[in-house]
Amino acid sequence: MDSVNGAVWVLVLPFALAAVALLAAAANAALDGRTRGVSTTSGWVAPLQESARLLRQQRRTLPGADSLLWRIGGAGLVVAAVLKVLVVPFGGFTFADLSVGLVWFNAMDVLLWALWWLLGWGANSAWSLVGGYRFLAQALSYELPLMFALTAPAIGAGSLRLLDIQDAQSGLWFVVWMPVAFLVFAASVVAFSSWGPFQTATGRDAAGGVIGELSGVDRLVVLAGRYMILVAGAAFSVPLFFGGGSGPWLPAGVWVVIKTLAVVALLLTVRRLFPTLRPERLAEVALVLIMPLVLVQVAVAAVIVVVNGGAL
Amino acid sequence: MSVVLFWFFSIVAVASAAAVFIVNSMARASYALALSFIAVGAIIVQLELDYIGVITILMMVMEMAIMAVFMVMYMGMNPALMPMDMRHNKHRSAIIAVFVFVLLAAGALLIPWPERMGVPAANVTASLGESLMGSKMLVMLVISPVLFATIIASLVLANPRGRYDRRGDNLDRRGADGRSEPEDPIRGGLGR
């Protein structure tokens, strides 16, 4: 694709990502609504209604709030989500063909450590700060397994470039022989979005945590950014584990979107099977149980690559 | 274009580094430093050392986030949350800063830099990995356990409800009610 076309698509990208995030939020609200006996339609429109309400709401700031850092934390979530999708290949086309695309994704998810904490810090509220520190405590548990889970596809393809990783799966998708790496990656996506079972940073038991003091458009940006990160993580799993744009009949770019939506649907469904996990409990699970499992996964992948002389 | 980018990142790096000492909040100082490192990482990427540049950004942002944890753990809440002056021992540190700056700037300007002799490797990331894991492997093997032991030791010392606190220095203290294990207010996720 030529550079002019790419420049146009890069302008479309944030809005497309926001649209998919809205779709995910709507589906989630519909599922939530169904368990409470609300009609499915009012579930689907709930995020739109909430957006309209927040847009009209007056912005509220506590005295002594560090507004600069607070706003950076909120807007940064959206920016980090877009920066993650920049390296995702849509078939042969990618916005930024970095030779270290995988490390780029890792750097962006570490950026979320800073952003969630800044959100908690900036509000000048004790509960928000508790939420920020909860996120960091959780991050210490998920980040190491995530880094090793990211290592597995890189070993399989022998490259850190996303296009190479995608192309290495022409024979067999990595998810087939790296299932543990995919599960850890998917759980980490949910964790760095502070969503689902890993939402203690925004938990009701801490009066909303990092989002407790947010109001108006600030709150809207953070809630949207959270779903955008979730969708960006799901999109990133496609070149890593699901063969990128490979698929019959349709163009590769469309397949990437379809697979992303499938992974998001998976996350929305599986989320309901797990209770919220407190960070101090997660630490032991992640470091005593998950870490050895994911290390074995990396070792198995490495042995397969050496014996087979490349990806399966 | 690359010259403009270089100057942009350089100015961001220097300006945010200066901001570390101008702002009066620990959080702003920490993240001004993170921004400075991000700009340095971007300059390293401009040198076509993609891996080192991106990993610099990754490590430094993570480091600043962890520093926020240690900030509260070691300093207590009050000094970390209150506005405070980021400069300490002002006169001597100003003298040291000026001296080091003059030394480094003079070095950078006055040294007769040699012409480039060889050519960079085709895949710099792979050659970096080979030099780290190949001839420098022994150094890495020695350094890693030392660093790891340091981290563990600092956590054991800082954690007030760790198992050395609950079970005593020899890990042999028993529970008050005759149970085999002492009471643990917070059990881990695996029920131990």
Side-chain angles (χ1 to χ4, degrees), chain A residues 66-69 98-100 103-108 110-115 117-118 121 129 133 136-137 140 143 147 160 280-282 284-285 288-289, chain B residues 25-28 31 38 45 50-51 54-55 57-59 61-63 65-72 77 80-82 125 186-192:
Chain A
D66 193 336
S67 297
L68 176 70
L69 295 186
L98 294 188
S99 63
V100 291
V103 189
W104 172 261
F105 177 84
N106 206 185
M108 289 308 115
V110 168
L111 197 59
L112 293 173
W113 291 37
L115 296 172
W117 185 82
L118 285 175
W121 167 274
L129 194 61
Y133 278 108
L136 286 184
L140 287 171
E143 191 66 39
M147 283 179 171
L160 296 170
E280 71 264 23
R281 286 179 170 254
L282 178 65
E284 193 170 283
V285 177
V288 177
L289 186 68
Chain B
S25 116
M26 289 280 282
R28 286 193 176 193
Y31 284 98
I38 289 174
V45 171
D50 293 0
Y51 182 79
V54 176
I55 217 82
I57 296 173
L58 189 158
M59 297 309 294
V61 172
M62 191 185 261
E63 192 172 290
I66 297 294
M67 208 165 87
V69 177
F70 278 78
M71 186 165 91
V72 167
M77 289 301 271
L81 293 176
M82 295 295 172
T125 307
I186 303 172
R187 283 182 168 271
L190 296 178
R192 297 195 307 171

Side-chain angles (χ1 to χ4, degrees), chain B residues 1 18 33 35 38 74 98 103-104 114 126 140-141 181 189:
Chain B
M1 182 64 185
L33 191 55
L35 180 61
I38 289 174
Y74 285 138
V98 169
L103 189 73
L104 292 179
M140 289 294 165
L141 280 177
E181 294 291 322

Side-chain angles (χ1 to χ4, degrees), chain A residues 60 70 123 125 127-128 201-203 206-215 219:
Chain A
R60 177 166 51 81
W70 202 19
S125 142
W127 291 116
S128 292
T202 58
V210 291
I211 57 172
E213 292 297 336
L214 289 162
S215 55
R219 189 182 182 89

